[in-house]
Structures are given as structure tokens and as C-alpha cells.
Amino acid sequence: MFPLTRARAGAPAGVYITNNATAGFVSPLGPDSVSSNRTATLVQPVYGLRLTPPGTVAAPAFRFISSPGDTVVCRFTLENLANDADSFVVDTALL
């Protein structure tokens, strides 16, 4: 398991964003304004990851020719694109 704590998306999950609006206008009595009710939105987690270099079964990211007993090294980067910390399990059998 590889814990990923870097969060990239806008607002972090779990925070509240509050807002209210004010509109200004001119009535027959002169300039005036009115304010809206305050609203609050709880930011939910949005999950995403990027594995580089990308590859598929049909077009693998790496192609190696080696002999039994050789050590083969290939580097992958797993990047957390979410707005919250997450962890991922990488099954080395798939590599």
C-alpha cells in the first residue's frame, strides 16, 4: 500500500464554502440594496489518480528483453489528483 497525501483539486474535501450575494439597484426612492440568505456547501471528496507512463496490454509502457536471473528496473509514478488524501494498493503481479 502506498499512501498518497498530495491533494491537487480546488478546495479540500470536508471544508464548507459559504456565500451570500448583494444586489444594488435604484428605486423611485433612490439607491438601495438587498442581500440574499447565506448558503453553505460542504466540499465532497473527488478521487482521481494518474499512473505514468501509461500503458495497456496491447501497448505496454515498457518492453524488456532479459534472461532468467536478470534484474529489470522500471519506474512508475502514481500521482494523487484528488482533493483528499488517499492510498492505493499496487499488485506487482500486474507489472
Side-chain angles (χ1 to χ4, degrees):
M1 182 180 305
F2 300 94
L4 299 176
T5 56
R6 180 176 169 211
R8 290 183 35 153
V15 301
Y16 281 94
I17 297 174
T18 59
N19 187 44
N20 65 307
T22 302
F25 58 94
V26 177
S27 74
L29 301 176
D32 202 353
S33 66
V34 62
S35 295
S36 70
N37 295 334
R38 176 172 277 192
T39 61
T41 301
L42 176 62
V43 177
Q44 297 295 315
V46 176
Y47 297 103
L49 60 96
R50 178 184 301 136
L51 180 65
T52 53
T56 64
V57 173
F62 299 103
R63 292 178 190 258
F64 296 105
I65 298 174
S66 64
S67 299
D70 286 352
T71 300
V72 178
V73 177
C74 55
R75 180 180 175 163
F76 289 93
T77 302
L78 183 60
E79 184 178 6
N80 184 9
L81 302 176
N83 66 346
D84 203 0
D86 206 348
S87 62
F88 303 91
V89 176
V90 178
D91 185 347
T92 57
L94 299 174
L95 302 176

Coordinates of all heavy atoms in Angstrom, one line a residue:
M1 N 0.9 -1.2 0.0 CA 0.0 0.0 0.0 C 0.9 1.2 0.0 O 1.9 1.3 0.7 CB -0.9 0.0 1.2 CG -1.8 1.2 1.2 SD -3.0 1.3 2.6 CE -3.7 -0.3 2.6
F2 N 0.6 2.2 -0.9 CA 1.3 3.4 -1.0 C 0.4 4.6 -0.6 O -0.5 4.9 -1.3 CB 1.8 3.6 -2.4 CG 2.7 2.5 -2.9 CD1 2.2 1.4 -3.6 CD2 4.1 2.5 -2.6 CE1 3.0 0.4 -4.0 CE2 4.9 1.5 -3.0 CZ 4.4 0.4 -3.7
P3 N 0.7 5.2 0.6 CA -0.2 6.3 0.9 C 0.2 7.6 0.1 O 1.4 7.9 -0.1 CB 0.1 6.6 2.4 CG 1.5 6.0 2.6 CD 1.6 4.9 1.6
L4 N -0.8 8.2 -0.4 CA -0.6 9.5 -1.2 C -1.3 10.6 -0.4 O -2.5 10.5 -0.2 CB -1.2 9.3 -2.6 CG -0.6 8.2 -3.4 CD1 -1.3 8.1 -4.8 CD2 0.9 8.5 -3.7
T5 N -0.6 11.6 -0.1 CA -1.2 12.7 0.7 C -1.3 14.0 -0.1 O -1.9 14.9 0.4 CB -0.4 12.9 2.0 OG1 0.9 13.2 1.6 CG2 -0.5 11.7 2.9
R6 N -0.7 14.1 -1.2 CA -0.7 15.3 -2.0 C -2.1 15.5 -2.6 O -2.6 14.6 -3.3 CB 0.3 15.2 -3.1 CG 0.4 16.5 -3.9 CD 1.5 16.4 -4.9 NE 1.4 17.4 -5.9 CZ 1.8 17.3 -7.1 NH1 2.4 16.2 -7.5 NH2 1.6 18.3 -8.0
A7 N -2.7 16.6 -2.4 CA -4.0 16.8 -3.0 C -3.9 18.0 -3.9 O -3.3 19.0 -3.6 CB -5.1 17.2 -1.9
R8 N -4.5 17.9 -5.1 CA -4.4 18.9 -6.2 C -5.7 19.7 -6.5 O -5.6 20.7 -7.0 CB -3.8 18.3 -7.4 CG -2.5 17.8 -7.4 CD -2.0 17.3 -8.7 NE -2.6 18.0 -9.8 CZ -2.1 18.1 -10.9 NH1 -0.9 17.5 -11.2 NH2 -2.6 18.8 -11.9
A9 N -6.8 19.0 -6.3 CA -8.0 19.6 -6.8 C -8.3 20.9 -6.0 O -7.7 21.1 -5.0 CB -9.2 18.6 -6.7
G10 N -9.3 21.7 -6.4 CA -9.6 23.0 -5.8 C -9.7 23.0 -4.3 O -8.6 23.0 -3.6
A11 N -10.8 23.0 -3.7 CA -11.0 23.1 -2.3 C -10.8 21.7 -1.7 O -11.3 20.7 -2.3 CB -12.3 23.7 -1.9
P12 N -10.2 21.6 -0.6 CA -10.0 20.3 0.1 C -11.3 19.7 0.5 O -12.2 20.5 0.9 CB -9.0 20.5 1.2 CG -9.0 22.0 1.4 CD -9.5 22.6 0.2
A13 N -11.5 18.4 0.5 CA -12.7 17.7 1.0 C -12.9 18.0 2.5 O -12.0 18.2 3.2 CB -12.6 16.2 0.8
G14 N -14.2 18.2 2.8 CA -14.5 18.4 4.2 C -14.6 19.9 4.7 O -15.0 20.1 5.8
V15 N -14.3 20.8 3.8 CA -14.5 22.2 4.2 C -15.8 22.7 3.7 O -16.4 22.2 2.7 CB -13.3 23.1 3.7 CG1 -12.0 22.6 4.1 CG2 -13.3 23.2 2.2
Y16 N -16.3 23.7 4.4 CA -17.5 24.4 4.0 C -17.2 25.7 3.2 O -16.3 26.4 3.6 CB -18.4 24.8 5.2 CG -19.2 23.6 5.7 CD1 -18.7 22.8 6.7 CD2 -20.4 23.3 5.2 CE1 -19.4 21.8 7.2 CE2 -21.1 22.2 5.7 CZ -20.6 21.5 6.7 OH -21.3 20.4 7.2
I17 N -17.9 25.9 2.1 CA -17.8 27.2 1.4 C -19.1 27.9 1.6 O -20.1 27.3 1.3 CB -17.5 26.9 -0.1 CG1 -16.2 26.2 -0.3 CG2 -17.5 28.2 -0.9 CD1 -15.9 25.7 -1.8
T18 N -19.0 29.1 2.1 CA -20.2 29.9 2.3 C -20.2 31.1 1.3 O -19.2 31.5 0.8 CB -20.3 30.4 3.7 OG1 -19.1 31.2 4.0 CG2 -20.3 29.3 4.8
N19 N -21.5 31.5 1.0 CA -21.6 32.6 0.1 C -22.9 33.3 0.4 O -23.9 32.7 0.8 CB -21.6 32.1 -1.3 CG -21.6 33.2 -2.3 OD1 -20.8 34.2 -2.2 ND2 -22.4 33.1 -3.4
N20 N -22.9 34.6 0.1 CA -24.2 35.4 0.0 C -23.9 36.5 -1.0 O -22.8 36.9 -1.2 CB -24.6 35.9 1.4 CG -23.7 36.9 2.0 OD1 -22.5 36.6 2.1 ND2 -24.2 38.0 2.4
A21 N -25.0 36.9 -1.6 CA -24.9 37.9 -2.6 C -25.6 39.2 -2.2 O -26.6 39.2 -1.4 CB -25.6 37.4 -3.9
T22 N -25.2 40.3 -2.8 CA -25.8 41.6 -2.6 C -26.1 42.2 -3.9 O -25.2 42.2 -4.8 CB -24.9 42.5 -1.7 OG1 -24.6 41.9 -0.5 CG2 -25.6 43.8 -1.5
A23 N -27.3 42.7 -4.1 CA -27.7 43.3 -5.4 C -28.0 44.8 -5.1 O -28.7 45.1 -4.1 CB -28.9 42.6 -6.0
G24 N -27.4 45.6 -5.9 CA -27.7 47.1 -5.7 C -28.6 47.5 -6.9 O -28.6 47.0 -8.0
F25 N -29.5 48.4 -6.6 CA -30.5 48.9 -7.6 C -30.9 50.3 -7.2 O -30.6 50.8 -6.1 CB -31.7 48.0 -7.7 CG -32.4 47.8 -6.4 CD1 -33.5 48.6 -6.1 CD2 -32.0 46.9 -5.4 CE1 -34.2 48.5 -4.9 CE2 -32.7 46.7 -4.3 CZ -33.8 47.5 -4.0
V26 N -31.6 50.9 -8.2 CA -32.1 52.3 -7.9 C -33.6 52.2 -8.0 O -34.2 51.7 -9.0 CB -31.5 53.3 -9.0 CG1 -32.2 54.7 -8.8 CG2 -30.0 53.3 -8.9
S27 N -34.3 52.6 -7.0 CA -35.8 52.6 -6.9 C -36.2 54.0 -7.0 O -35.4 55.0 -7.0 CB -36.3 51.9 -5.7 OG -36.1 52.8 -4.6
P28 N -37.5 54.2 -7.2 CA -38.0 55.6 -7.2 C -37.6 56.4 -5.9 O -37.6 57.6 -5.9 CB -39.5 55.5 -7.2 CG -39.7 54.1 -7.9 CD -38.6 53.3 -7.4
L29 N -37.3 55.7 -4.8 CA -36.9 56.3 -3.6 C -35.4 56.6 -3.5 O -34.9 57.2 -2.6 CB -37.3 55.5 -2.4 CG -38.8 55.3 -2.3 CD1 -39.1 54.3 -1.1 CD2 -39.6 56.6 -2.1
G30 N -34.6 56.1 -4.5 CA -33.2 56.3 -4.6 C -32.5 55.0 -4.6 O -33.0 53.9 -4.7
P31 N -31.1 55.0 -4.4 CA -30.3 53.8 -4.4 C -30.6 52.9 -3.2 O -30.9 53.4 -2.1 CB -28.9 54.3 -4.4 CG -28.9 55.8 -4.7 CD -30.3 56.2 -4.4
D32 N -30.6 51.6 -3.5 CA -30.9 50.7 -2.4 C -30.1 49.4 -2.7 O -29.6 49.2 -3.8 CB -32.4 50.4 -2.3 CG -32.8 49.9 -0.9 OD1 -31.9 49.6 -0.1 OD2 -34.0 49.8 -0.7
S33 N -30.1 48.5 -1.8 CA -29.5 47.2 -2.0 C -30.3 46.1 -1.2 O -31.0 46.5 -0.2 CB -28.0 47.2 -1.6 OG -27.9 47.4 -0.2
V34 N -30.1 44.9 -1.5 CA -30.7 43.8 -0.8 C -29.7 42.6 -0.8 O -29.0 42.4 -1.8 CB -32.1 43.3 -1.5 CG1 -31.9 42.9 -2.9 CG2 -32.8 42.3 -0.6
S35 N -29.7 41.9 0.3 CA -28.8 40.7 0.4 C -29.5 39.4 0.4 O -30.6 39.4 0.9 CB -28.0 40.9 1.7 OG -27.1 42.0 1.7
S36 N -28.9 38.4 -0.1 CA -29.5 37.1 -0.1 C -29.3 36.4 1.2 O -28.5 36.9 2.0 CB -28.9 36.2 -1.3 OG -27.6 35.9 -1.0
N37 N -29.9 35.3 1.4 CA -29.6 34.4 2.5 C -28.2 33.8 2.3 O -27.7 33.7 1.2 CB -30.6 33.2 2.6 CG -32.0 33.7 2.9 OD1 -32.2 34.8 3.4 ND2 -33.0 32.9 2.4
R38 N -27.5 33.5 3.4 CA -26.2 32.9 3.3 C -26.4 31.4 3.0 O -27.3 30.7 3.6 CB -25.5 33.0 4.6 CG -24.1 32.3 4.6 CD -23.3 32.6 5.8 NE -22.6 33.9 5.5 CZ -21.6 34.4 6.2 NH1 -21.3 33.8 7.3 NH2 -21.1 35.5 5.9
T39 N -25.6 30.9 2.1 CA -25.7 29.4 1.8 C -24.3 28.8 2.1 O -23.3 29.5 2.2 CB -26.0 29.2 0.3 OG1 -24.9 29.8 -0.5 CG2 -27.3 29.8 -0.1
A40 N -24.3 27.5 2.4 CA -23.1 26.8 2.7 C -23.1 25.5 1.9 O -24.1 24.8 1.9 CB -23.0 26.5 4.2
T41 N -22.0 25.1 1.4 CA -21.8 23.9 0.7 C -20.6 23.1 1.2 O -19.6 23.7 1.4 CB -21.6 24.2 -0.8 OG1 -22.6 24.9 -1.4 CG2 -21.4 22.9 -1.6
L42 N -20.8 21.9 1.6 CA -19.8 21.0 2.1 C -19.1 20.4 0.8 O -19.7 19.7 0.0 CB -20.3 19.9 3.0 CG -19.3 18.9 3.5 CD1 -18.3 19.5 4.3 CD2 -20.0 17.8 4.2
V43 N -17.7 20.6 0.8 CA -17.0 20.0 -0.3 C -16.8 18.5 -0.1 O -16.3 18.1 0.9 CB -15.6 20.7 -0.5 CG1 -14.8 20.1 -1.5 CG2 -15.8 22.2 -0.7
Q44 N -17.2 17.8 -1.1 CA -17.1 16.3 -1.0 C -15.8 15.9 -1.6 O -15.2 16.5 -2.4 CB -18.3 15.7 -1.8 CG -19.7 16.0 -1.2 CD -19.8 15.4 0.2 OE1 -19.5 14.3 0.4 NE2 -20.4 16.2 1.1
P45 N -15.3 14.7 -1.3 CA -14.1 14.2 -1.9 C -14.3 13.9 -3.3 O -15.4 13.4 -3.8 CB -13.8 12.9 -1.1 CG -14.8 12.7 0.0 CD -15.9 13.8 -0.2
V46 N -13.3 14.2 -4.1 CA -13.3 13.8 -5.5 C -12.0 13.1 -5.7 O -10.9 13.6 -5.5 CB -13.3 15.1 -6.5 CG1 -13.2 14.7 -7.9 CG2 -14.6 15.9 -6.2
Y47 N -12.1 11.8 -6.2 CA -10.9 11.0 -6.3 C -10.4 10.8 -7.7 O -11.2 10.9 -8.6 CB -11.2 9.6 -5.7 CG -11.6 9.6 -4.2 CD1 -12.9 9.5 -3.8 CD2 -10.6 9.8 -3.3 CE1 -13.2 9.6 -2.5 CE2 -10.9 9.9 -1.9 CZ -12.2 9.8 -1.5 OH -12.6 9.8 -0.2
G48 N -9.1 10.7 -7.8 CA -8.5 10.5 -9.1 C -7.1 10.2 -9.0 O -6.4 10.6 -8.0
L49 N -6.5 9.5 -9.9 CA -5.1 9.2 -9.9 C -4.5 9.2 -11.3 O -5.3 9.0 -12.3 CB -4.8 7.9 -9.2 CG -5.4 6.6 -9.7 CD1 -4.4 5.9 -10.6 CD2 -5.8 5.7 -8.6
R50 N -3.2 9.3 -11.4 CA -2.6 9.2 -12.7 C -1.4 8.3 -12.6 O -0.5 8.5 -11.7 CB -2.1 10.6 -13.2 CG -1.3 10.5 -14.5 CD -0.7 11.8 -14.9 NE -1.8 12.8 -15.1 CZ -1.7 14.1 -14.6 NH1 -0.6 14.5 -14.0 NH2 -2.7 14.9 -14.8
L51 N -1.3 7.3 -13.4 CA -0.2 6.4 -13.4 C 0.6 6.7 -14.7 O 0.1 6.6 -15.8 CB -0.6 4.9 -13.4 CG 0.4 3.8 -13.5 CD1 1.3 3.9 -12.2 CD2 -0.2 2.5 -13.6
T52 N 1.9 7.0 -14.5 CA 2.7 7.3 -15.7 C 4.0 6.4 -15.6 O 4.5 6.1 -14.5 CB 3.1 8.8 -15.8 OG1 3.7 9.1 -14.5 CG2 2.0 9.7 -16.0
P53 N 4.5 6.0 -16.7 CA 4.0 6.2 -18.0 C 2.7 5.3 -18.3 O 2.6 4.2 -17.7 CB 5.1 5.7 -19.0 CG 5.9 4.8 -18.2 CD 5.8 5.2 -16.7
P54 N 1.8 5.8 -19.1 CA 0.6 5.0 -19.3 C 0.9 3.8 -20.2 O 1.8 3.8 -21.0 CB -0.3 6.0 -20.0 CG 0.6 7.0 -20.7 CD 1.8 7.0 -19.8
G55 N 0.2 2.8 -20.0 CA 0.3 1.6 -20.8 C -0.9 0.7 -20.8 O -1.7 0.8 -19.8
T56 N -1.0 -0.2 -21.7 CA -2.1 -1.1 -21.8 C -1.5 -2.5 -22.1 O -0.3 -2.6 -22.5 CB -3.2 -0.7 -22.9 OG1 -2.5 -0.8 -24.1 CG2 -3.7 0.7 -22.6
V57 N -2.4 -3.5 -22.1 CA -1.9 -4.8 -22.5 C -1.5 -4.8 -24.0 O -0.4 -5.3 -24.4 CB -3.0 -5.9 -22.3 CG1 -2.6 -7.2 -22.8 CG2 -3.3 -6.0 -20.8
A58 N -2.2 -4.1 -24.8 CA -1.9 -4.0 -26.2 C -0.7 -3.1 -26.5 O 0.0 -3.4 -27.5 CB -3.1 -3.5 -27.0
A59 N -0.5 -2.1 -25.7 CA 0.6 -1.2 -25.9 C 1.3 -0.9 -24.6 O 1.0 0.1 -23.9 CB 0.1 0.1 -26.5
P60 N 2.1 -1.8 -24.1 CA 2.7 -1.7 -22.8 C 3.6 -0.4 -22.7 O 4.2 0.0 -23.7 CB 3.5 -3.0 -22.5 CG 3.6 -3.6 -23.9 CD 2.5 -3.0 -24.7
A61 N 3.8 0.1 -21.5 CA 4.7 1.2 -21.3 C 6.1 0.9 -21.5 O 6.9 1.7 -21.9 CB 4.4 1.8 -19.9
F62 N 6.5 -0.4 -21.1 CA 7.9 -0.8 -21.2 C 7.9 -2.2 -22.0 O 7.0 -3.0 -21.8 CB 8.5 -1.0 -19.9 CG 8.6 0.2 -19.0 CD1 7.7 0.4 -18.0 CD2 9.5 1.1 -19.2 CE1 7.7 1.5 -17.2 CE2 9.6 2.3 -18.5 CZ 8.7 2.5 -17.5
R63 N 9.0 -2.4 -22.7 CA 9.3 -3.7 -23.3 C 10.7 -4.1 -23.0 O 11.6 -3.3 -23.3 CB 9.1 -3.7 -24.8 CG 7.6 -3.5 -25.2 CD 7.5 -3.5 -26.7 NE 6.2 -3.1 -27.1 CZ 5.3 -3.9 -27.6 NH1 5.5 -5.2 -27.7 NH2 4.1 -3.5 -27.9
F64 N 10.9 -5.2 -22.3 CA 12.2 -5.6 -21.9 C 12.6 -7.0 -22.5 O 11.7 -7.8 -22.6 CB 12.4 -5.7 -20.4 CG 12.2 -4.4 -19.7 CD1 11.0 -4.1 -19.0 CD2 13.2 -3.4 -19.7 CE1 10.8 -2.9 -18.4 CE2 13.0 -2.2 -19.1 CZ 11.9 -1.9 -18.4
I65 N 13.8 -7.1 -22.8 CA 14.4 -8.4 -23.2 C 15.4 -8.7 -22.1 O 16.4 -8.0 -21.9 CB 15.0 -8.5 -24.6 CG1 13.9 -8.1 -25.6 CG2 15.7 -9.8 -24.8 CD1 14.5 -8.0 -27.0
S66 N 15.2 -9.8 -21.4 CA 16.1 -10.2 -20.3 C 16.2 -11.7 -20.2 O 15.5 -12.4 -20.8 CB 15.6 -9.6 -19.0 OG 14.4 -10.1 -18.6
S67 N 17.2 -12.1 -19.4 CA 17.4 -13.5 -19.2 C 17.0 -13.9 -17.8 O 17.0 -13.0 -16.9 CB 18.9 -13.9 -19.4 OG 19.3 -13.5 -20.7
P68 N 16.7 -15.1 -17.5 CA 16.4 -15.5 -16.2 C 17.5 -15.1 -15.2 O 18.7 -15.3 -15.5 CB 16.3 -17.0 -16.2 CG 15.9 -17.3 -17.7 CD 16.6 -16.2 -18.5
G69 N 17.1 -14.6 -14.1 CA 18.1 -14.1 -13.1 C 18.5 -12.6 -13.2 O 19.1 -12.1 -12.3
D70 N 18.2 -12.0 -14.4 CA 18.5 -10.6 -14.6 C 17.6 -9.8 -13.7 O 16.5 -10.1 -13.3 CB 18.2 -10.2 -16.0 CG 19.3 -10.7 -17.0 OD1 20.3 -11.3 -16.5 OD2 19.1 -10.5 -18.2
T71 N 18.1 -8.6 -13.3 CA 17.3 -7.6 -12.6 C 16.8 -6.6 -13.6 O 17.6 -6.0 -14.3 CB 18.1 -6.9 -11.5 OG1 18.6 -7.9 -10.6 CG2 17.3 -5.9 -10.8
V72 N 15.5 -6.4 -13.6 CA 14.9 -5.4 -14.5 C 14.3 -4.3 -13.7 O 13.5 -4.6 -12.8 CB 13.9 -6.1 -15.5 CG1 13.2 -5.0 -16.4 CG2 14.5 -7.2 -16.3
V73 N 14.6 -3.1 -14.0 CA 14.1 -2.0 -13.2 C 13.2 -1.1 -14.2 O 13.7 -0.7 -15.2 CB 15.2 -1.1 -12.6 CG1 14.6 0.1 -11.8 CG2 16.0 -2.0 -11.6
C74 N 12.0 -0.8 -13.8 CA 11.2 0.2 -14.5 C 10.5 1.1 -13.5 O 10.1 0.7 -12.4 CB 10.2 -0.5 -15.4 SG 9.1 -1.7 -14.6
R75 N 10.5 2.3 -13.8 CA 9.9 3.3 -12.9 C 8.5 3.8 -13.3 O 8.3 4.1 -14.4 CB 10.8 4.5 -12.8 CG 10.3 5.6 -11.9 CD 11.2 6.8 -11.9 NE 10.6 7.8 -11.0 CZ 11.3 8.8 -10.6 NH1 12.5 9.0 -10.8 NH2 10.6 9.7 -9.8
F76 N 7.6 3.7 -12.3 CA 6.3 4.2 -12.5 C 6.0 5.3 -11.5 O 6.6 5.3 -10.4 CB 5.2 3.1 -12.2 CG 5.2 2.1 -13.3 CD1 5.9 0.9 -13.2 CD2 4.4 2.2 -14.4 CE1 5.9 -0.1 -14.2 CE2 4.3 1.3 -15.4 CZ 5.1 0.1 -15.3
T77 N 5.2 6.2 -11.8 CA 4.8 7.3 -10.9 C 3.3 7.2 -10.7 O 2.6 7.3 -11.7 CB 5.2 8.7 -11.4 OG1 6.6 8.7 -11.6 CG2 4.8 9.8 -10.4
L78 N 2.8 7.1 -9.5 CA 1.4 7.2 -9.2 C 1.1 8.5 -8.5 O 1.7 8.8 -7.4 CB 1.1 6.0 -8.2 CG -0.4 5.8 -7.9 CD1 -1.2 5.6 -9.1 CD2 -0.6 4.6 -7.0
E79 N 0.3 9.3 -9.1 CA 0.0 10.7 -8.6 C -1.4 10.8 -8.1 O -2.3 10.4 -8.9 CB 0.3 11.7 -9.7 CG 0.2 13.1 -9.3 CD 0.5 14.1 -10.5 OE1 0.8 13.6 -11.6 OE2 0.5 15.3 -10.2
N80 N -1.6 11.3 -7.0 CA -2.9 11.6 -6.4 C -3.5 12.9 -7.0 O -2.9 14.0 -6.7 CB -2.9 11.6 -4.9 CG -4.2 11.8 -4.3 OD1 -5.2 11.7 -4.9 ND2 -4.3 12.0 -3.0
L81 N -4.5 12.8 -7.8 CA -5.2 14.0 -8.4 C -6.4 14.4 -7.6 O -7.1 15.3 -8.0 CB -5.6 13.7 -9.8 CG -4.4 13.3 -10.7 CD1 -5.0 12.9 -12.1 CD2 -3.4 14.3 -10.8
A82 N -6.6 13.8 -6.5 CA -7.9 14.0 -5.7 C -7.7 15.3 -4.8 O -6.7 15.9 -4.7 CB -8.1 12.9 -4.8
N83 N -8.8 15.7 -4.2 CA -8.8 16.8 -3.2 C -8.8 16.3 -1.8 O -9.1 17.0 -0.9 CB -10.1 17.7 -3.4 CG -11.4 17.0 -3.1 OD1 -11.4 15.8 -3.0 ND2 -12.4 17.8 -3.0
D84 N -8.3 15.0 -1.6 CA -8.2 14.4 -0.3 C -7.1 13.4 -0.3 O -6.7 12.9 -1.4 CB -9.6 13.7 0.1 CG -9.8 13.6 1.6 OD1 -8.9 14.0 2.3 OD2 -10.8 13.0 1.9
A85 N -6.6 13.1 0.9 CA -5.5 12.1 0.9 C -6.1 10.7 0.6 O -7.3 10.5 0.8 CB -4.9 12.1 2.4
D86 N -5.4 9.8 0.1 CA -5.9 8.5 -0.3 C -4.7 7.5 -0.3 O -3.5 7.9 -0.1 CB -6.5 8.6 -1.7 CG -7.5 7.5 -1.9 OD1 -7.6 6.6 -1.1 OD2 -8.2 7.5 -2.9
S87 N -5.0 6.3 -0.4 CA -3.9 5.2 -0.5 C -4.4 4.2 -1.6 O -5.6 4.1 -1.9 CB -3.7 4.6 0.8 OG -4.9 3.9 1.2
F88 N -3.4 3.6 -2.2 CA -3.6 2.7 -3.3 C -2.8 1.5 -3.1 O -1.7 1.5 -2.6 CB -3.3 3.3 -4.7 CG -4.0 4.6 -4.9 CD1 -3.5 5.8 -4.6 CD2 -5.2 4.6 -5.5 CE1 -4.1 7.0 -4.8 CE2 -5.9 5.8 -5.8 CZ -5.4 7.0 -5.4
V89 N -3.3 0.3 -3.5 CA -2.5 -0.9 -3.5 C -2.2 -1.3 -4.9 O -3.0 -1.3 -5.8 CB -3.4 -2.1 -2.9 CG1 -2.7 -3.4 -3.0 CG2 -3.8 -1.7 -1.5
V90 N -0.9 -1.5 -5.1 CA -0.4 -1.8 -6.5 C 0.0 -3.3 -6.4 O 0.9 -3.7 -5.6 CB 0.9 -0.9 -6.8 CG1 1.4 -1.4 -8.2 CG2 0.5 0.5 -6.9
D91 N -0.6 -4.1 -7.2 CA -0.3 -5.5 -7.3 C 0.9 -5.7 -8.3 O 0.7 -5.5 -9.5 CB -1.5 -6.3 -7.8 CG -1.3 -7.8 -7.7 OD1 -0.2 -8.3 -7.6 OD2 -2.3 -8.5 -7.9
T92 N 2.0 -6.1 -7.7 CA 3.2 -6.3 -8.6 C 3.0 -7.4 -9.6 O 3.8 -7.4 -10.6 CB 4.5 -6.5 -7.7 OG1 4.2 -7.7 -6.9 CG2 4.8 -5.4 -6.9
A93 N 2.1 -8.3 -9.4 CA 1.8 -9.3 -10.5 C 1.4 -8.7 -11.8 O 1.6 -9.3 -12.8 CB 0.8 -10.3 -9.9
L94 N 0.8 -7.5 -11.7 CA 0.3 -6.8 -12.9 C 1.4 -6.1 -13.6 O 1.3 -5.6 -14.7 CB -0.8 -5.9 -12.6 CG -2.1 -6.6 -12.0 CD1 -3.1 -5.6 -11.6 CD2 -2.6 -7.6 -13.0
L95 N 2.6 -5.9 -12.9 CA 3.7 -5.2 -13.5 C 4.5 -6.1 -14.3 O 5.3 -6.1 -15.0 CB 4.5 -4.5 -12.5 CG 3.7 -3.5 -11.6 CD1 4.7 -2.9 -10.5 CD2 3.2 -2.3 -12.4

